[in-house]
Amino acid sequence: MLPRVILKENFIKKSQQKKITSPANYKERFFELDTHELKYSEIHPPKPPIVKGCIELVRIKCVEIVCSDVPIPCCFKFPFQVYYDNYYLYIFAPSNDCRQRWVRALKEETKHNDLVAKYHPNFWMDGKWKCCKKTEKLATGCHVYDPTGFASEKSLPKLPQCKTIEHNDGAMTLIPLQNYAPLGDNELPLEIDKECVLIDSSNTDWWIVTNSSGETGFVPSTYVAKKSGDDYQRFAWFNKDITRAEAEDLLKTEGREGGFMVRHSSQAGTYTTSVFTKALGSNGEQEPKVKHYHIKQAETGEAAFYLAEKHLFSTIPQLIHYHQHNAAGLITRLRRPASICCPPPIVNSVVVSSFATFATFTDQWEIDPNELTLGKELGSGQFGLVQEGTWRDKKVAVKTMKDKKMSEDDFREEARVMTKVSHSKLVQLYGVCTQCSPMCLVFEFMHNGSLSTYLQARKEHISPGVMLGMCVDVSEGMAYLESSNFIHRDLAARNCLVNHKSEVKVCDFGMTRLVLDDQYTSSMGSKFPVRWSAPEVIRYAKFSSKSDVWSFGVLMWEVYNKGRLPYENKTNLEVMEALNAGMRLLKPRLVPDEVYLLMEWCWKEKPEQRPSFAVLLHELAAIAEPAQEL
Ligand code: ADP
């Protein structure tokens, strides 16, 4: 009987041979499951696919999702495992739905095989199983294998039947603090601005909620704020019974830049935020200090909290979440919650800040200085020197950090954040070398340098079709960052790079937060990128994905003007005045009307009126499609 094809999909597959985990070991492959085998191939259209591996289904002993909190160094974040013969194949799917579909289908096809009784729910990594710590790769599993059901990504309490849920929390409204993409069937997605109703908060970490479509499921409790009368115990930043002196002691002992907490003020019913900083003093030396900010309430009738400047929030968790991303008047942004008890069990999917995960991070991403050879200088940027280099027979770009421009702590934290993001349209970080002095970051090499110089150098040879392709590339990278709740903060043609295939990729994401230089971070400073900044960023440093969208509009303008400086005849101050008066960049000669309309959409005064990157990508791709067919 001829095999029947069941599923086909592009996944990322981790190499089974190599011991060291680096992004280079993750390869995109086209997978095909039929009734006889699971086959994966390399594809380079228009060439025919080259089959790289094939597993007969009868050899499979277990198929299950992988439950792990280790950073996944590729853009597909949903791993599953296929255990066959004596090998483990790790496959990374782009979404949970897709992963579930494949695991379900594979389980169905292999249910009559000679299966394992127990399996390993976590990865085999660095010579041991991350679940049971056994050091023998073929050691018996530590979890019962269910050949028909699904493993749960987390040990969630079981979701009660909707009918039997007791509304023990009344109809309390919850406001999502950030987006949340569910990892399991019993969870619900959260979207900022889309309120939901609390049904059950009996489990501290996972609350049951109902959304506006009437669906019920679990959400992480630290991702939501109660619209009225919240208790903050579930947040890592809240220390209930701690005095001002104790708070100072704890923050100073930890000594971490941006360490912070919220505590009760001496004035009953009010709260104070205490934050630690080592910001440079006027003498250029670091001066450790703790600052205390009273959380004030504006008299607006409704609850309206604010800290240093009047950015009002209807709940304290919203206010803290905002200042975790924006200093906006505080001495530093609130970076790391300092807690008198243990770290919280749930961590943000992008920014993780516990020491335990840092250890995993360095293990995985540390580059041996002996494997790194440095070559000629490529350029010097805001953050330091960039040199050509070689690492494991690959050409790489090595970025060293300028002395005193940033703290080592920050460097490590941000480098780890970068390891969390991976996409074909983002310049890939290969690893970090913390043993080098100064520390350095090792990136994929981009032969054609920065987009702005590329545009300027090839003025005559870039067609409008190519320009549109460049905008599509950048919007793809940015749509991925947006979906990962990640804000770039300095998107501009100079911060994108071009590779040997003339593909454009975004780089320097999130790096602006690192600079310890007032000239750069203050909107009045000479180095502040006013020409690329949204009005709310210039006025009160309110960064968001929508302020990145504004910058993207300016980047599109740069592309269609072949690398010209935006508002070239104006000073920074004149640019600010022009924006305040409602003026915008003029239509470039070469831009099609429909693309200029998108630019204007990016430059709407109100952030919420601007499109998302997902929408921009969709619109640009739709414009590009017919152009490519000509
Ligand atoms: P910064 O963002 O710190 O100001 P850049 O990242 O722009 O510095 O780097 C300065 C220059 O180094 C760039 O203009 C580019 O020419 C070169 N460069 C940076 N990263 C790479 C890379 N990954 N591959 C090739 N060249 C690079």
Side-chain angles (χ1 to χ4, degrees):
M1 195 172 76
L2 275 177
R4 176 177 55 85
V5 175
I6 301 169
L7 289 170
K8 291 179 185 181
E9 199 101 31
N10 272 328
F11 288 129
I12 290 177
K13 165 191 162 288
K14 184 171 176 251
S15 152
Q16 294 174 77
Q17 276 82 40
K18 296 171 195 161
K19 271 196 189 140
I20 298 133
T21 314
S22 97
N25 294 336
Y26 292 80
K27 300 223 167 78
E28 194 167 334
R29 293 285 178 256
F30 177 70
F31 277 79
E32 208 175 317
L33 169 66
D34 65 26
T35 41
H36 282 183
E37 58 198 19
L38 175 66
K39 189 167 71 184
Y40 50 93
S41 320
E42 189 176 350
I43 45 167
H44 292 294
K47 291 186 202 153
I50 307 163
V51 177
K52 289 283 182 177
C54 183
I55 303 163
E56 287 168 68
L57 297 187
V58 287
R59 285 153 59 193
I60 294 178
K61 297 189 237 179
C62 161
V63 179
E64 190 54 279
I65 68 165
V66 180
C67 307
S68 188
D69 58 359
V70 300
I72 289 174
C74 67
C75 55
F76 290 176
K77 304 289 184 197
F78 299 88
F80 65 97
Q81 53 181 311
V82 176
Y83 176 38
Y84 65 100
D85 299 341
N86 288 333
Y87 302 106
Y88 282 90
L89 175 65
Y90 290 122
I91 304 169
F92 297 81
S95 70
N96 189 41
D97 277 349
C98 169
R99 169 171 71 172
Q100 307 278 51
R101 198 165 49 244
W102 275 73
V103 173
R104 197 172 285 136
L106 277 159
K107 281 191 168 182
E108 179 59 33
E109 293 307 307
T110 56
K111 65 184 178 198
H112 300 302
N113 289 4
D114 186 11
L115 300 167
V116 294
K118 285 184 164 189
Y119 78 110
H120 294 282
N122 209 326
F123 287 112
W124 167 262
M125 192 177 263
D126 305 326
K128 59 173 177 286
W129 284 105
K130 283 196 72 67
C131 33
C132 55
K133 311 281 179 276
K134 285 183 190 159
T135 52
E136 178 55 58
K137 193 166 184 185
L138 297 178
T140 325
C142 49
H143 256 66
V144 175
Y145 176 52
D146 178 355
T148 51
F150 274 98
S152 163
E153 179 84 45
K154 296 181 210 75
S155 46
L156 284 181
K158 223 175 154 47
L159 184 66
Q161 292 295 303
C162 296
K163 289 192 289 284
T164 61
I165 294 173
E166 286 176 24
H167 288 240
N168 61 349
D169 287 286
M172 185 165 303
T173 305
L174 298 178
I175 309 168
L177 301 170
Q178 55 187 305
N179 295 338
Y180 176 70
L183 295 169
D185 282 346
N186 52 359
E187 298 171 28
L188 276 192
L190 287 173
E191 253 180 88
I192 285 182
D193 300 334
K194 288 201 177 153
E195 294 180 352
C196 48
V197 175
L198 178 60
I199 303 294
D200 186 337
S201 61
S202 52
N203 182 286
T204 342
D205 305 327
W206 294 93
W207 286 359
I208 303 171
V209 306
T210 300
N211 64 17
S212 56
S213 325
E215 296 160 320
T216 299
F218 283 99
V219 297
S221 66
T222 52
Y223 278 53
V224 286
K226 286 184 188 168
K227 206 165 177 178
S228 54
D230 211 336
D231 45 15
Y232 309 119
Q233 295 285 40
R234 65 187 184 284
F235 294 103
W237 40 255
F238 187 61
N239 289 318
K240 190 163 176 255
D241 300 312
I242 190 168
T243 62
R244 181 186 172 107
E246 286 165 346
E248 289 198 0
D249 270 359
L250 178 64
L251 291 166
K252 283 185 180 157
T253 312
E254 286 193 351
R256 295 195 290 156
E257 178 62 24
F260 77 99
M261 69 174 74
V262 177
R263 56 187 178 80
H264 282 299
S265 301
S266 44
Q267 199 181 326
T270 63
Y271 297 91
T272 297
T273 304
S274 305
V275 54
F276 177 84
T277 178
K278 293 184 267 191
L280 297 186
S282 46
N283 55 1
E285 294 296 311
Q286 288 195 332
E287 284 174 13
K289 54 176 168 277
V290 175
K291 285 272 234 173
H292 304 274
Y293 299 90
H294 191 196
I295 300 181
K296 302 182 197 91
Q297 245 186 303
E299 282 166 21
T300 58
E302 294 211 355
F305 299 99
Y306 65 97
L307 266 176
E309 288 173 6
K310 281 207 170 175
H311 303 310
L312 302 181
F313 300 91
S314 49
T315 69
I316 290 180
Q318 281 174 300
L319 172 144
I320 296 300
H321 186 256
Y322 173 72
H323 284 284
Q324 285 184 287
H325 295 88
N326 301 282
L330 304 184
I331 189 146
T332 174
R333 135 180 109 79
L334 307 177
R335 288 158 195 255
R336 306 168 175 96
S339 176
I340 33 179
C341 48
C342 6
I346 305 167
V347 285
N348 180 313
S349 59
V350 176
V351 185
V352 190
S353 50
S354 81
F355 284 127
T357 34
F358 183 67
T360 324
F361 154 73
T362 38
D363 285 356
Q364 249 188 293
W365 291 85
E366 187 68 51
I367 279 183
D368 178 353
N370 296 322
E371 290 185 334
L372 196 61
T373 334
L374 293 181
K376 72 166 197 273
E377 191 178 318
L378 291 169
S380 161
Q382 181 67 32
F383 303 97
L385 193 69
V386 185
Q387 281 169 276
E388 211 177 270
T390 317
W391 176 66
R392 299 199 182 151
D393 300 328
K394 251 196 308 272
K395 203 161 175 185
V396 292
V398 184
K399 214 172 211 184
T400 15
M401 299 296 136
K402 265 186 197 161
D403 250 7
K404 289 245 168 122
K405 280 282 169 193
M406 69 189 66
S407 77
E408 276 199 6
D409 256 10
D410 277 353
F411 170 76
R412 286 165 193 272
E413 187 199 328
E414 294 293 340
R416 194 190 42 213
V417 170
M418 274 187 261
T419 63
K420 285 259 175 187
V421 290
S422 174
H423 187 271
S424 60
K425 296 296 157 62
L426 301 182
V427 176
Q428 179 66 54
L429 176 76
Y430 287 145
V432 297
C433 188
T434 55
Q435 292 156 35
C436 307
S437 180
M439 293 198 273
C440 61
L441 300 173
V442 180
F443 287 99
E444 117 180 63
F445 187 75
M446 301 289 286
H447 286 76
N448 280 311
S450 88
L451 175 60
S452 48
T453 47
Y454 183 82
L455 289 164
Q456 288 155 9
R458 288 173 184 69
K459 272 197 175 70
E460 310 312 321
H461 309 286
I462 303 179
S463 67
V466 170
M467 294 178 196
L468 186 56
M470 292 173 159
C471 298
V472 174
D473 282 350
V474 176
S475 66
E476 246 182 85
M478 291 305 300
Y480 166 81
L481 283 186
E482 176 185 71
S483 69
S484 314
N485 286 316
F486 207 90
I487 309 168
H488 188 294
R489 292 161 189 256
D490 197 11
L491 182 62
R494 65 178 176 282
N495 284 331
C496 294
L497 292 167
V498 186
N499 70 8
H500 58 292
K501 295 190 273 181
S502 298
E503 259 180 325
V504 182
K505 302 192 183 196
V506 179
C507 75
D508 283 341
F509 23 99
M511 293 284 279
T512 46
R513 287 207 299 239
L514 293 176
V515 185
L516 297 176
D517 178 349
D518 275 353
Q519 287 299 303
Y520 197 83
T521 48
S522 143
S523 57
M524 294 317 281
S526 60
K527 295 184 212 157
F528 187 83
V530 169
R531 288 158 209 274
W532 286 264
S533 298
E536 72 276 10
V537 167
I538 299 175
R539 285 183 207 132
Y540 26 78
K542 190 174 191 325
F543 291 94
S544 63
S545 290
K546 291 293 169 80
S547 62
D548 280 349
V549 164
W550 177 290
S551 313
F552 177 68
V554 181
L555 182 147
M556 288 201 280
W557 185 94
E558 290 182 272
V559 168
Y560 280 95
N561 277 298
K562 306 199 172 162
R564 254 170 65 194
L565 179 73
Y567 321 89
E568 62 190 342
N569 299 319
K570 289 191 166 62
T571 62
N572 279 357
L573 200 62
E574 285 166 348
V575 172
M576 293 189 209
E577 284 164 1
L579 292 178
N580 281 342
M583 272 141 69
R584 297 293 184 258
L585 285 162
L586 296 177
K587 183 170 180 279
R589 198 171 50 84
L590 296 168
V591 80
D593 288 346
E594 55 216 311
V595 178
Y596 187 61
L597 280 175
L598 292 181
M599 289 185 202
E600 289 184 310
W601 196 3
C602 295
W603 300 328
K604 290 277 180 206
E605 181 70 25
K606 291 193 176 143
E608 62 275 17
Q609 289 176 350
R610 295 174 209 149
S612 64
F613 280 106
V615 166
L616 281 166
L617 169 59
H618 181 263
E619 295 292 319
L620 284 164
I623 301 169
E625 195 80 352
Q628 275 171 359
E629 280 170 14
L630 289 176

